[in-house]
Amino acid sequence: MDSQTSPSSQASPSPHTFQVDLRGLVDLLCHHLYSSPRVYLRELLQNAVDAITARRAEQPGAPATVRLYAAGGALRVEDSGVGLTEADVHDLLATIGRSSKRADGIQEARSEFLGQFGIGLLACFVVAERIRVVSRSARTPDAVPVEWTASDDGSYTVRTLTLEARTEPGTTVHLTARAGAGEWLAPEKVRALARDFGALLPYDVRVDGEAVTDLPAPWDRSYPSPAARRVALARHCHDLFGFTPLDSVGLDVPLAGIRGVAYVLPSAVSPAQRATHRVHLKGMLLTERAEQLLPDWAFFVRCVLDTDSLRPTASREALYEDETLAAVREALGERIRSWLTGLAAGDPERLAAFLSVHHLGVKALARHDAEMLRTMLPWLPFETTDGQVSLEEFARRHPVVHFTRTVEEYRQVAPIASAQGIGVVNGGYTYDSDLVQALPSVRPGTVVAELDAETVTAHLDAVDPAEELALAGFLAVARATLDPLGCDVVLRAFHPLTVPALHLDDRAARHEQARADAEAQADDLWAGILGSLRGTAPRARLVLNHLNPLIRRISSLRGPELIGTATESLYGQALLMAQRPLRPADSALLNRSFIGLLEWATNGEEGH
């Protein structure tokens, strides 16, 4: 046998234990894990509630009380829970990261506990420089009280006490405020935090003798009438969120362990604004800023609910994104959808009041939900040439439902289209063009068509050929003037008479114009590439109204320069009327035509 020892047979190195800097860990908790020092009280309440839950699992008739006493920069929290033995104290309180829920006899009931991460009392060092715990176990009849005292420097002591120190099972926690944190242990602050975190806890919680819990929850109480329920919930919403809701929606989902209510905002909000909700976990407030609780389309409500199925993150200040949360989100969305369909079926006045504020949210839902679109079709308002009407009503009036994709396009054609009897829907607002195009799927037989310049021009009356021939010279100069701008000139007769000229284009024409502008400014190589992309799309057109008196006078002008100046002025005015963004070339044209008209007005036509 080889006398040399092989590497595999060498003695294994001795293991070492991590050394934890408690001050650094407390700083990490305060500034990174928890959003605010206020969570220290939640941890205290959580430990007390879990201790009571553990004791009642073994002794169902055991008392269930939590008492908090705040005075002079100190806080005392007493609970009637399962308590701790000396071995428990060494094993649980002094070991960072270990959960008391692993103790014998508790694992089976783990789902009943609030805490899942074993951070425990450590969070109290965020506001306290010293923690003293006195506890007596309920599992051992003759157990003596044990005291655990810890400082924020990481040191702690453990000693046993006489029975007089605590005669009943349970635990008392004493906190002494650290410098600068006294406000967090002040009586009014403790009372407010306890009420905020613990109002829905299932046990008797009191601060300085004043009850904190307020059960049953407002959405679980019995009311003499639906109207009384709405009034009570509106008051609850105002106290909780600071607004009086348009309505309230029950969120009872037993299979998901959800009970609560959604409050409908009284004013419109942006769909991009992230909605935040209040979530209680088994009665304890988990977060006031849950963001992924509802589908994105339900941005018009704020929720408060209690759950026993959702998982918290490590900080217990947010919800863990998993399959359960996704299922709950879908179920809550279905509840809000059912509320909307119920209003449509039985309470049109409340539905109309809701849609006057939140039609955008319902359109977002209807865009992806054919059943919701079918239900809401008679109610959703759209801007049309017939005024603010529903798509259902508009489709009954017009054999073809024309729509524009942008607000600018609609503004160009709405007055003219209306006068010619063409029905047009403004599809330029969020979701509207998608909903109009989805109309045939829920209303079979409906014809939907995008409105373009060709369609509008085709509906305008042609001018008598002899009259148009007499104006050939004028039209030739006008066309030559606007040709560099990528715009044609046509003569038509249309109403209203007050509109002298109409600028028409469509997306294809605008794309072609943008390509041409880029080609004009590019170097030879890039200009060649852009030139190869030149399309055959129709160009924009300036439609002159032959019925308008101003156009008749302008068309009688003889001087080419004056005709050109007048044409540029009509073009610029038509762009402004359409509220289209002006290109640099358009702005230069407006300035040039304005100055030209001033010179003509000053010097007279003879000067030209």
Side-chain angles (χ1 to χ4, degrees), residues 283-487:
M284 180 75 74
L285 178 65
L286 179 71
T287 178
E288 299 173 285
R289 298 184 299 275
E291 293 187 347
Q292 304 297 332
L293 191 63
L294 295 180
D296 289 341
W297 56 260
F299 56 83
F300 49 83
V301 298
R302 295 292 179 269
C303 295
V304 53
L305 56 82
D306 190 20
T307 175
D308 57 17
S309 63
L310 298 179
R311 291 174 56 196
T313 59
S315 67
R316 292 192 288 279
E317 293 186 279
L319 295 172
Y320 187 79
E321 183 67 49
D322 58 9
E323 292 181 357
T324 302
L325 179 57
V328 165
R329 182 162 49 237
E330 183 176 347
L332 294 182
E334 183 57 39
R335 287 293 303 115
I336 297 174
R337 183 187 287 107
S338 298
W339 167 76
L340 283 171
T341 55
L343 287 186
D347 201 337
E349 289 186 4
R350 286 170 64 202
L351 177 63
F354 167 75
L355 289 178
S356 67
V357 178
H358 295 299
H359 57 273
L360 196 59
V362 180
K363 286 180 177 180
L365 172 58
R367 178 169 169 249
H368 300 290
D369 189 325
E371 186 59 37
M372 181 56 62
L373 177 58
R374 186 178 293 106
T375 301
M376 292 291 111
L377 202 58
W379 307 100
L380 288 173
F382 287 79
E383 182 180 359
T384 75
T385 47
D386 292 351
Q388 286 281 343
V389 299
S390 70
L391 288 182
E392 174 71 28
E393 181 180 352
F394 190 80
R396 286 199 302 265
R397 297 178 183 177
H398 299 278
V400 178
V401 178
H402 289 98
F403 73 97
T404 63
R405 291 188 180 273
T406 68
V407 175
E408 290 80 9
E409 290 175 6
Y410 178 80
R411 287 171 177 161
Q412 285 182 84
V413 302
I416 310 304
S418 179
Q420 307 306 312
I422 307 174
V424 185
V425 179
N426 184 354
Y429 296 116
T430 307
Y431 310 127
D432 282 11
S433 62
D434 291 337
L435 292 175
V436 175
Q437 292 178 90
L439 191 55
S441 67
V442 297
R443 196 179 187 276
T446 303
V447 179
V448 174
E450 183 175 355
L451 188 67
D452 56 23
E454 291 287 349
T455 303
V456 177
T457 305
H459 280 77
L460 303 181
D461 294 334
V463 177
D464 181 86
E467 293 187 51
E468 186 165 1
L469 182 60
L471 299 176
F474 163 77
L475 291 174
V477 175
R479 288 167 180 152
T481 301
L482 297 186
D483 183 68
L485 297 173
C487 183

Side-chain angles (χ1 to χ4, degrees), residues 34 90 110-111 142 145 179 215 222 227 279 283 341 349 370 395 450 571:
Y34 296 131
H90 282 290
R110 185 180 177 89
S111 64
D142 57 349
L215 295 175
S222 298
V279 176
T341 55
E349 289 186 4
E450 183 175 355
Y571 174 81

Side-chain angles (χ1 to χ4, degrees), residues 125-163:
F125 279 120
V126 172
V127 299
E129 65 177 5
R130 193 167 73 95
I131 302 174
R132 176 171 167 258
V133 178
V134 177
S135 188
R136 183 179 180 187
S137 176
R139 294 199 180 97
T140 307
D142 57 349
V144 296
V146 60
E147 177 191 72
W148 176 82
T149 304
S151 299
D152 61 1
D153 61 2
S155 64
Y156 72 92
T157 60
V158 179
R159 64 180 180 131
T160 57
L161 306 175
T162 62
L163 290 176

Side-chain angles (χ1 to χ4, degrees), residues 37-41 44 68-77 123-131 173-193 207-208:
R38 70 197 299 267
V39 298
Y40 88 91
L41 193 67
L44 288 173
L68 297 88
Y69 304 93
L75 175 65
R76 184 172 88 254
V77 182
C124 293
F125 279 120
V126 172
V127 299
E129 65 177 5
R130 193 167 73 95
I131 302 174
V173 179
H174 302 262
L175 301 186
T176 303
R178 65 168 56 249
E183 63 172 303
W184 294 103
L185 273 62
E188 60 276 7
K189 176 67 75 173
V190 171
R191 190 175 299 109
L193 292 177
V207 177
D208 296 327

